[in-house]
Amino acid sequence: MPIITTIEDLRVLAKRRVPRMFYDYVDSGSWTEGTYRANAADFDRLLLRQRVALDIEKRSTRSTMVGIDVAMPVAIAPTGMTGMQHADGEILAARAAEKFGIPFTLSTMSICSIEDIAEATRTPFWFQLYVMRDRGYMERLIDRAKAANCSALVVTLDLQIIGQRHKDLRNGLSVPPKLSLRNMANMATKPRWCLGMLGTRRRNFGNVFGHVEGIETMKSLSEWTNKQFDPTLSWEDIAWIRRRWPGKLILKGIQDVEDARLAAESGAEAVIVSNHGGRQLDGAPSSISALPAIAEAVGQRIEVHMDGGVRSGQDVLKARALGARGVYIGRSLLYGLGAMGEAGVTRALQIIHRELDLTMAFCGHTDIERVDAGVLLGLRESRSWLPA
Ligand SMILES: Cc1cc2nc3c(=O)[nH]c(=O)nc-3n(C[C@H](O)[C@H](O)[C@H](O)COP(=O)(O)O)c2cc1C
């Protein structure tokens, strides 16, 4: 067993254990992958300010996101097909998040269903909703999330049309996996994954299968799904959702100050500054670079969260310093899950938490609630260390 001390260690192990088509589905962005790379690279450009001789013995990373207590300001991002990284993946990730004391967000396009997660956990989880053409189906999804006692609804606004990822096209990605000779040969090298999949009945989109009339086969399911993302989505649909959802409402996929202002007027409790992990508009700025202007414009009126490129506790601290009340992790979680199932997700959370706790202390802080932009020195390339 390799020694695991970073999220990168988990990524390397996941790459070894998860069939190529599903590993690639995670570790990829759209077109040139420029925005995907920038999400992580721009965190590295930010320099932290070390302070010394300040009593840093007793420390707390506890905070809240939309009024909900969190052990650290980190939530699990909604990711589709998580149950293809590891059998019953969403259940395992939700359990790990619950034990750790952070929110888990279930995607509309998950393998395990809303009811599966409700049965496997006791803490209310969050549900992510895509706006679908079939409004009746959306209403039923919202009702199911209410019945499951979900404490927040995350509505994703940036995937009404789908960004193209070259690797997925090449791999013929589908659920269940397309059994081409190449894919089968690759799967045969991942016995642990295959055994897990043989041992579960959850291999379809659990929130769709059995909940939409006329979908009995995988072919009809994928045809229905492809047609459902609604490109006519507008702020009127958000108002419609707001009327139906009495709980916390979070709008995901905001990159622009003007959109953030409209979101703040929509009655939502929070926005997530996000470019969908670099999977949609290639060429968009990194999330961390889009964050400060949005936090400045609407941060007094609505909670601002962010995701994209968070791979360490240092990243969490930097996002918090630039105005994010909380962050979400997508790939950091998926790598943990693919590498070691629930234990891998727990390991990912432990790694990020420890890094956050120590980084905060190195910067002279003992309480995450008091961290502000003062922990940042600026951008690496704009600082000269030579005397003038
Ligand atoms: C494999 C994968 C699947 C995703 N599926 C969804 C989804 O179903 N719904 C959604 O709102 N966002 C989805 N996202 C975007 C994530 O919620 C999040 O915005 C992104 O992963 C954050 O970037 P990070 O992976 O660098 O942490 C997905 C991301 C990945 C990597």
Side-chain angles (χ1 to χ4, degrees):
M1 182 70 182
I3 294 173
I4 306 276
T5 60
T6 63
I7 298 297
E8 174 61 11
D9 294 336
L10 290 168
R11 186 193 67 75
V12 171
L13 191 54
K15 188 169 187 179
R16 223 190 292 157
R17 293 191 169 167
V18 177
R20 180 173 41 220
M21 69 188 319
F22 294 117
Y23 174 81
D24 279 354
Y25 169 65
V26 169
D27 190 5
S28 59
S30 56
W31 287 320
T32 71
E33 301 193 333
T35 296
Y36 174 38
R37 285 190 300 275
N39 274 347
D42 279 356
F43 271 112
D44 293 340
R45 293 169 62 208
L46 286 164
L47 294 178
L48 289 165
R49 178 176 170 215
Q50 175 179 296
R51 299 294 310 278
V52 295
L54 297 161
D55 180 354
I56 49 168
E57 190 186 5
K58 293 197 183 73
R59 300 187 296 277
S60 167
T61 59
R62 298 203 70 82
S63 187
T64 60
M65 288 170 77
V66 289
I68 293 166
D69 285 330
V70 290
M72 60 177 167
V74 176
I76 306 288
T79 53
M81 294 203 273
T82 301
M84 286 289 143
Q85 298 303 308
H86 189 289
D88 300 333
E90 290 92 354
I91 291 176
L92 304 185
R95 279 200 191 126
E98 178 176 40
K99 286 180 198 151
F100 210 89
I102 64 160
F104 169 79
T105 315
L106 184 74
S107 164
T108 296
M109 303 315 291
S110 56
I111 302 296
C112 303
S113 68
I114 298 175
E115 292 75 18
D116 286 335
I117 305 301
E119 205 182 300
T121 56
R122 273 183 290 163
T123 316
F125 60 100
W126 297 1
F127 181 65
Q128 175 263 326
L129 185 73
Y130 278 124
V131 174
M132 306 282 212
R133 286 187 198 270
D134 183 345
R135 297 295 198 270
Y137 171 67
M138 271 181 73
E139 266 183 275
R140 292 199 295 282
L141 268 183
I142 293 173
D143 288 345
R144 287 167 65 194
K146 277 188 209 162
N149 200 22
C150 290
S151 50
L153 188 70
V154 177
V155 178
T156 299
L157 303 178
D158 63 359
L159 195 126
Q160 300 317 115
I161 47 172
I162 300 186
Q164 181 181 308
R165 293 184 298 272
H166 298 302
K167 287 177 204 149
D168 290 351
L169 291 176
R170 266 185 233 131
N171 290 332
L173 179 82
S174 61
V175 178
K178 200 170 276 172
L179 293 181
S180 67
L181 218 55
R182 184 168 168 259
N183 286 340
M184 267 172 41
N186 180 255
M187 270 174 214
T189 66
K190 321 284 178 190
R192 200 186 280 256
W193 182 93
C194 293
L195 268 177
M197 284 299 163
L198 287 173
T200 182
R201 59 185 167 79
R202 299 184 185 90
R203 292 190 291 257
N204 291 317
F205 290 116
N207 292 327
V208 183
F209 219 74
H211 295 278
V212 178
E213 230 176 281
I215 295 188
E216 273 109 35
T217 61
M218 280 315 294
K219 191 163 174 285
S220 57
L221 172 65
S222 76
E223 279 167 7
W224 182 86
T225 311
N226 288 339
K227 279 191 284 187
Q228 275 303 316
F229 295 97
D230 188 351
T232 70
L233 165 65
S234 75
W235 290 101
E236 278 165 33
D237 297 300
I238 306 305
W240 180 84
I241 293 168
R242 179 69 285 185
R243 288 196 295 277
R244 270 162 186 77
W245 178 258
K248 309 284 184 192
L249 182 65
I250 303 174
L251 300 180
K252 176 171 187 280
I254 302 291
Q255 276 272 293
D256 186 85
V257 168
E258 205 41 52
D259 289 338
R261 290 208 176 97
L262 293 167
E265 282 158 22
S266 72
E269 272 78 20
V271 290
I272 310 178
V273 177
S274 171
N275 50 37
H276 215 100
R279 297 163 79 80
Q280 289 291 88
L281 176 62
D282 183 39
S286 65
S287 291
I288 190 67
S289 70
L291 170 66
I294 292 176
E296 163 90 27
V298 300
Q300 300 294 327
R301 284 195 282 159
I302 189 170
E303 260 185 39
V304 178
H305 302 170
M306 71 83 64
D307 73 21
V310 176
R311 303 284 180 270
S312 68
Q314 299 89 296
D315 295 344
V316 179
L317 194 80
K318 289 170 180 176
R320 187 85 188 201
L322 288 176
R325 179 83 196 153
V327 307
Y328 297 70
I329 50 169
R331 295 178 181 87
S332 293
L333 160 283
L334 294 169
Y335 296 147
L337 183 67
M340 303 193 297
E342 182 176 338
V345 176
T346 301
R347 187 70 68 89
L349 297 178
Q350 286 166 342
I351 289 169
I352 290 176
H353 181 255
R354 186 169 164 73
E355 290 169 342
L356 173 63
D357 176 48
L358 294 184
T359 306
M360 181 174 79
F362 284 133
C363 293
H365 280 271
T366 54
D367 183 358
I368 193 93
E369 292 295 327
R370 300 176 75 102
V371 168
D372 58 19
V375 299
L376 297 174
L377 280 174
L379 293 176
R380 199 178 288 279
E381 62 273 21
S382 66
R383 297 188 66 83
S384 167
W385 54 87
L386 300 174

